[in-house]
mmCIF file of all heavy atoms in Angstrom:
data_model
loop_
_atom_site.group_PDB
_atom_site.id
_atom_site.type_symbol
_atom_site.label_atom_id
_atom_site.label_comp_id
_atom_site.label_asym_id
_atom_site.label_seq_id
_atom_site.Cartn_x
_atom_site.Cartn_y
_atom_site.Cartn_z
ATOM 1 N N GLU A 1677 65.242 -23.689 19.750
ATOM 2 C CA GLU A 1677 64.224 -23.973 18.614
ATOM 3 C C GLU A 1677 64.676 -23.007 17.497
ATOM 4 O O GLU A 1677 64.836 -21.918 17.515
ATOM 5 C CB GLU A 1677 62.846 -23.636 19.106
ATOM 6 C CG GLU A 1677 61.787 -24.056 18.230
ATOM 7 C CD GLU A 1677 60.382 -24.171 18.833
ATOM 8 O OE1 GLU A 1677 60.125 -23.163 19.395
ATOM 9 O OE2 GLU A 1677 59.840 -25.228 18.763
ATOM 10 N N THR A 1678 64.677 -23.670 16.203
ATOM 11 C CA THR A 1678 65.054 -22.986 15.095
ATOM 12 C C THR A 1678 64.025 -22.043 14.536
ATOM 13 O O THR A 1678 64.152 -21.082 13.868
ATOM 14 C CB THR A 1678 65.628 -23.849 14.013
ATOM 15 O OG1 THR A 1678 64.595 -24.854 13.785
ATOM 16 C CG2 THR A 1678 66.952 -24.478 14.298
ATOM 17 N N ALA A 1679 62.639 -22.493 14.755
ATOM 18 C CA ALA A 1679 61.639 -21.873 14.215
ATOM 19 C C ALA A 1679 60.980 -20.876 15.054
ATOM 20 O O ALA A 1679 60.851 -21.035 16.284
ATOM 21 C CB ALA A 1679 60.484 -22.898 13.674
ATOM 22 N N GLU A 1680 60.551 -19.790 14.538
ATOM 23 C CA GLU A 1680 59.790 -18.770 15.344
ATOM 24 C C GLU A 1680 58.319 -19.178 15.089
ATOM 25 O O GLU A 1680 58.004 -19.462 13.980
ATOM 26 C CB GLU A 1680 60.005 -17.338 14.699
ATOM 27 C CG GLU A 1680 59.494 -16.238 15.414
ATOM 28 C CD GLU A 1680 59.848 -14.968 14.655
ATOM 29 O OE1 GLU A 1680 61.031 -14.454 14.671
ATOM 30 O OE2 GLU A 1680 58.922 -14.533 13.861
ATOM 31 N N ARG A 1681 57.653 -19.271 16.216
ATOM 32 C CA ARG A 1681 56.297 -19.786 16.157
ATOM 33 C C ARG A 1681 55.155 -18.639 16.091
ATOM 34 O O ARG A 1681 55.220 -17.694 16.864
ATOM 35 C CB ARG A 1681 56.057 -20.762 17.375
ATOM 36 C CG ARG A 1681 56.997 -21.836 17.460
ATOM 37 C CD ARG A 1681 56.720 -22.462 18.867
ATOM 38 N NE ARG A 1681 55.344 -22.979 19.005
ATOM 39 C CZ ARG A 1681 54.807 -23.079 20.360
ATOM 40 N NH1 ARG A 1681 55.478 -22.639 21.270
ATOM 41 N NH2 ARG A 1681 53.586 -23.581 20.368
ATOM 42 N N TRP A 1682 54.201 -19.041 15.207
ATOM 43 C CA TRP A 1682 53.080 -18.040 15.127
ATOM 44 C C TRP A 1682 51.739 -18.783 15.164
ATOM 45 O O TRP A 1682 51.635 -19.832 14.445
ATOM 46 C CB TRP A 1682 53.074 -17.280 13.776
ATOM 47 C CG TRP A 1682 54.312 -16.235 13.801
ATOM 48 C CD1 TRP A 1682 55.612 -16.477 13.552
ATOM 49 C CD2 TRP A 1682 54.254 -14.831 13.998
ATOM 50 N NE1 TRP A 1682 56.350 -15.394 13.628
ATOM 51 C CE2 TRP A 1682 55.482 -14.312 13.890
ATOM 52 C CE3 TRP A 1682 53.109 -13.916 14.303
ATOM 53 C CZ2 TRP A 1682 55.792 -13.049 14.026
ATOM 54 C CZ3 TRP A 1682 53.453 -12.712 14.496
ATOM 55 C CH2 TRP A 1682 54.685 -12.059 14.356
ATOM 56 N N GLY A 1683 50.835 -18.509 16.069
ATOM 57 C CA GLY A 1683 49.562 -19.183 16.192
ATOM 58 C C GLY A 1683 48.511 -18.415 15.423
ATOM 59 O O GLY A 1683 48.460 -17.278 15.314
ATOM 60 N N TYR A 1684 47.585 -19.210 14.799
ATOM 61 C CA TYR A 1684 46.463 -18.635 14.167
ATOM 62 C C TYR A 1684 45.498 -18.042 15.194
ATOM 63 O O TYR A 1684 45.191 -18.670 16.266
ATOM 64 C CB TYR A 1684 45.694 -19.642 13.285
ATOM 65 C CG TYR A 1684 46.470 -20.079 12.020
ATOM 66 C CD1 TYR A 1684 47.098 -21.488 12.012
ATOM 67 C CD2 TYR A 1684 46.677 -19.199 11.037
ATOM 68 C CE1 TYR A 1684 47.719 -21.780 10.862
ATOM 69 C CE2 TYR A 1684 47.373 -19.732 9.814
ATOM 70 C CZ TYR A 1684 47.833 -20.881 9.745
ATOM 71 O OH TYR A 1684 48.498 -21.415 8.617
ATOM 72 N N ALA A 1685 45.022 -16.847 14.899
ATOM 73 C CA ALA A 1685 44.144 -16.168 15.856
ATOM 74 C C ALA A 1685 42.673 -16.328 15.606
ATOM 75 O O ALA A 1685 42.359 -16.597 14.350
ATOM 76 C CB ALA A 1685 44.600 -14.799 15.847
ATOM 77 N N ASN A 1686 41.844 -16.276 16.605
ATOM 78 C CA ASN A 1686 40.390 -16.290 16.435
ATOM 79 C C ASN A 1686 39.848 -15.009 16.118
ATOM 80 O O ASN A 1686 40.646 -13.980 16.172
ATOM 81 C CB ASN A 1686 39.726 -16.974 17.550
ATOM 82 C CG ASN A 1686 40.014 -16.247 18.874
ATOM 83 O OD1 ASN A 1686 40.380 -15.070 18.912
ATOM 84 N ND2 ASN A 1686 39.821 -16.981 19.979
ATOM 85 N N ALA A 1687 38.467 -14.828 16.048
ATOM 86 C CA ALA A 1687 37.938 -13.518 15.765
ATOM 87 C C ALA A 1687 38.317 -12.409 16.776
ATOM 88 O O ALA A 1687 38.291 -11.207 16.548
ATOM 89 C CB ALA A 1687 36.456 -13.657 15.625
ATOM 90 N N GLN A 1688 38.557 -12.888 18.077
ATOM 91 C CA GLN A 1688 39.057 -11.853 19.101
ATOM 92 C C GLN A 1688 40.447 -11.542 18.984
ATOM 93 O O GLN A 1688 40.937 -10.850 19.891
ATOM 94 C CB GLN A 1688 38.713 -12.513 20.531
ATOM 95 C CG GLN A 1688 37.238 -12.583 20.852
ATOM 96 C CD GLN A 1688 36.603 -13.768 20.091
ATOM 97 O OE1 GLN A 1688 36.981 -14.775 20.009
ATOM 98 N NE2 GLN A 1688 35.412 -13.373 19.533
ATOM 99 N N GLY A 1689 41.248 -12.171 18.045
ATOM 100 C CA GLY A 1689 42.626 -11.839 17.972
ATOM 101 C C GLY A 1689 43.477 -12.569 18.987
ATOM 102 O O GLY A 1689 44.658 -12.287 19.227
ATOM 103 N N GLU A 1690 42.890 -13.649 19.454
ATOM 104 C CA GLU A 1690 43.637 -14.607 20.441
ATOM 105 C C GLU A 1690 44.079 -15.869 19.727
ATOM 106 O O GLU A 1690 43.274 -16.302 18.915
ATOM 107 C CB GLU A 1690 42.840 -14.810 21.666
ATOM 108 C CG GLU A 1690 42.721 -13.688 22.605
ATOM 109 C CD GLU A 1690 41.471 -13.891 23.381
ATOM 110 O OE1 GLU A 1690 40.860 -14.953 23.318
ATOM 111 O OE2 GLU A 1690 41.136 -12.775 24.084
ATOM 112 N N TYR A 1691 45.188 -16.366 20.174
ATOM 113 C CA TYR A 1691 45.674 -17.767 19.602
ATOM 114 C C TYR A 1691 44.489 -18.757 19.817
ATOM 115 O O TYR A 1691 44.058 -18.935 20.902
ATOM 116 C CB TYR A 1691 46.931 -18.179 20.275
ATOM 117 C CG TYR A 1691 47.308 -19.516 20.042
ATOM 118 C CD1 TYR A 1691 47.367 -19.996 18.672
ATOM 119 C CD2 TYR A 1691 47.707 -20.412 20.922
ATOM 120 C CE1 TYR A 1691 47.773 -21.315 18.384
ATOM 121 C CE2 TYR A 1691 48.076 -21.752 20.720
ATOM 122 C CZ TYR A 1691 48.157 -22.155 19.324
ATOM 123 O OH TYR A 1691 48.519 -23.449 19.059
ATOM 124 N N ASP A 1692 44.229 -19.486 18.711
ATOM 125 C CA ASP A 1692 43.155 -20.521 18.743
ATOM 126 C C ASP A 1692 43.855 -21.871 18.491
ATOM 127 O O ASP A 1692 44.274 -22.286 17.384
ATOM 128 C CB ASP A 1692 42.130 -20.284 17.640
ATOM 129 C CG ASP A 1692 41.001 -21.355 17.719
ATOM 130 O OD1 ASP A 1692 41.343 -22.437 18.455
ATOM 131 O OD2 ASP A 1692 40.052 -21.142 17.156
ATOM 132 N N PRO A 1693 44.209 -22.695 19.470
ATOM 133 C CA PRO A 1693 44.862 -23.953 19.356
ATOM 134 C C PRO A 1693 44.258 -24.838 18.363
ATOM 135 O O PRO A 1693 44.898 -25.682 17.717
ATOM 136 C CB PRO A 1693 45.029 -24.523 20.766
ATOM 137 C CG PRO A 1693 44.727 -23.441 21.703
ATOM 138 C CD PRO A 1693 43.797 -22.466 20.931
ATOM 139 N N THR A 1694 42.886 -24.769 18.218
ATOM 140 C CA THR A 1694 42.389 -25.622 17.154
ATOM 141 C C THR A 1694 42.529 -25.395 15.821
ATOM 142 O O THR A 1694 42.625 -26.093 14.837
ATOM 143 C CB THR A 1694 40.719 -25.757 17.302
ATOM 144 O OG1 THR A 1694 40.321 -24.333 17.063
ATOM 145 C CG2 THR A 1694 40.224 -25.968 18.696
ATOM 146 N N LEU A 1695 43.082 -24.050 15.565
ATOM 147 C CA LEU A 1695 43.550 -23.767 14.303
ATOM 148 C C LEU A 1695 45.031 -23.966 14.077
ATOM 149 O O LEU A 1695 45.557 -24.236 12.944
ATOM 150 C CB LEU A 1695 43.370 -22.243 14.018
ATOM 151 C CG LEU A 1695 41.880 -21.762 14.030
ATOM 152 C CD1 LEU A 1695 41.810 -20.145 13.954
ATOM 153 C CD2 LEU A 1695 41.120 -22.451 12.852
ATOM 154 N N GLY A 1696 45.824 -24.162 15.287
ATOM 155 C CA GLY A 1696 47.269 -24.563 15.074
ATOM 156 C C GLY A 1696 48.185 -23.364 14.848
ATOM 157 O O GLY A 1696 47.790 -22.235 15.187
ATOM 158 N N GLU A 1697 49.267 -23.638 14.288
ATOM 159 C CA GLU A 1697 50.402 -22.719 14.305
ATOM 160 C C GLU A 1697 51.224 -22.950 12.883
ATOM 161 O O GLU A 1697 51.136 -23.889 12.412
ATOM 162 C CB GLU A 1697 51.331 -22.777 15.476
ATOM 163 C CG GLU A 1697 51.931 -24.085 15.658
ATOM 164 C CD GLU A 1697 52.773 -24.216 16.870
ATOM 165 O OE1 GLU A 1697 52.146 -24.446 18.014
ATOM 166 O OE2 GLU A 1697 54.051 -24.029 16.801
ATOM 167 N N VAL A 1698 51.930 -21.952 12.656
ATOM 168 C CA VAL A 1698 53.048 -22.040 11.626
ATOM 169 C C VAL A 1698 54.345 -21.677 12.315
ATOM 170 O O VAL A 1698 54.334 -20.998 13.311
ATOM 171 C CB VAL A 1698 52.716 -21.126 10.405
ATOM 172 C CG1 VAL A 1698 51.486 -21.636 9.589
ATOM 173 C CG2 VAL A 1698 52.511 -19.640 10.751
ATOM 174 N N GLY A 1699 55.363 -21.901 11.404
ATOM 175 C CA GLY A 1699 56.636 -21.566 11.898
ATOM 176 C C GLY A 1699 57.388 -20.848 10.794
ATOM 177 O O GLY A 1699 57.191 -21.175 9.639
ATOM 178 N N VAL A 1700 58.386 -19.924 11.215
ATOM 179 C CA VAL A 1700 59.227 -19.353 10.092
ATOM 180 C C VAL A 1700 60.797 -19.733 10.602
ATOM 181 O O VAL A 1700 61.069 -19.515 11.778
ATOM 182 C CB VAL A 1700 59.074 -17.943 9.805
ATOM 183 C CG1 VAL A 1700 57.897 -17.825 8.980
ATOM 184 C CG2 VAL A 1700 59.024 -17.089 11.089
#
Side-chain angles (χ1 to χ4, degrees):
E1677 189 164 50
T1678 49
E1680 188 180 284
R1681 300 170 59 211
W1682 291 79
Y1684 288 111
N1686 58 19
Q1688 289 71 47
E1690 287 153 8
Y1691 170 49
D1692 179 349
T1694 62
L1695 295 175
E1697 60 181 81
V1698 288
V1700 284

